[in-house]
Amino acid sequence: MSATWYECKVKYRKFDEASATQKVKTEPFLVDAISYTEAESRITEEMSAYLLEGEEIKITNIKVANFAEIHPFENADRWFKSKVALIAFDEESGKERKTNQYLLVQANDVKEAYENTVHVMKDSMGEYSIPAVSESPIVDVFPYFSGDEDETERLEEFTRLKDSVPFDNQPDEELETADSLVTENE
């Protein structure tokens, strides 16, 4: 059974590090649920970790998200929406048909999101193209796990990847110089 993802817009008080004050924010979160009612219940439960004692949230909108798959990556801090066009050849008409699907991948920038999408699609049997990658406003993703032992391991791995700290991705000038010398000598 495939997951149904619900995008829940939540209004709540959030500590703003820049101004060192509490500000009211409305941000979208993604939850895996089987109905709108369960999505509302789950987002309320998950958001309790973000709230101070006595504070409440207001759910301003819940809608079904159109993501086919969600892919967290280690050392990434933002979510990106990748549009993947699956290409199939229609033998009857003799034309190519494209079917679009959307993936939510975690990355630090658009280039890395594109590379992560290619990594996710590498075992795909059919042809595809990636016509668009854009930053998503999604703040966090809360998958559903039933509590079975296998599911617990998946939850821990998903959470570990999702919450991993980004690393500094600065280029190493010494390695780049060595690479350019090798390329020039070839």
Side-chain angles (χ1 to χ4, degrees):
M1 186 168 131
S2 66
T4 303
W5 293 95
Y6 290 86
E7 184 178 321
C8 302
K9 286 200 177 175
V10 179
K11 190 174 194 175
Y12 68 107
R13 290 181 151 293
K14 182 177 184 179
F15 182 75
D16 184 26
E17 292 177 10
S19 65
T21 61
Q22 291 276 343
K23 291 195 175 187
V24 175
K25 298 261 189 177
T26 301
E27 296 178 319
F29 294 85
L30 214 56
V31 295
D32 180 9
I34 56 174
S35 68
Y36 286 92
T37 306
E38 185 189 11
E40 180 181 10
S41 172
R42 293 218 38 242
I43 194 63
T44 302
E45 179 185 330
E46 296 287 354
M47 289 302 296
S48 66
Y50 290 91
L51 303 176
L52 296 174
E53 191 172 325
E55 288 188 343
E56 294 184 4
I57 64 167
K58 180 177 182 182
I59 300 168
T60 60
N61 189 23
I62 298 177
K63 66 180 181 180
V64 175
N66 64 344
F67 297 113
E69 298 174 9
I70 310 293
H71 295 281
F73 280 87
E74 201 163 0
N75 299 320
D77 62 347
R78 298 186 316 214
W79 292 97
F80 290 83
K81 184 176 186 175
S82 295
K83 179 179 179 180
V84 178
L86 303 173
I87 302 168
F89 185 74
D90 186 2
E91 293 181 14
E92 290 180 20
S93 66
K95 295 181 181 177
E96 270 187 2
R97 274 194 350 220
K98 290 185 179 180
T99 305
N100 293 327
Q101 71 176 15
Y102 297 92
L103 307 180
L104 190 67
V105 296
Q106 206 172 16
N108 293 309
D109 56 34
V110 173
K111 180 179 183 263
E112 186 178 334
Y114 177 84
E115 292 167 355
N116 289 349
T117 303
V118 169
H119 175 75
V120 166
M121 296 297 295
K122 75 176 189 268
D123 293 330
S124 175
M125 298 298 276
E127 289 186 47
Y128 68 91
S129 65
I130 304 170
V133 176
S134 61
E135 187 168 2
S136 169
I138 301 292
V139 174
D140 208 348
V141 175
F142 303 110
Y144 175 79
F145 293 101
S146 65
D148 293 344
E149 191 171 313
D150 292 343
E151 296 261 327
T152 303
E153 289 175 12
R154 283 185 39 224
L155 172 61
E156 288 171 357
E157 178 64 11
F158 188 93
T159 304
R160 185 187 69 75
L161 288 172
K162 183 179 70 138
D163 294 339
S164 60
V165 178
F167 62 94
D168 187 18
N169 209 6
Q170 297 299 319
D172 185 339
E173 289 184 30
E174 189 176 309
L175 287 175
E176 286 183 358
T177 304
D179 284 347
S180 65
L181 291 175
V182 169
T183 306
E184 289 174 4
N185 293 334
E186 288 179 351

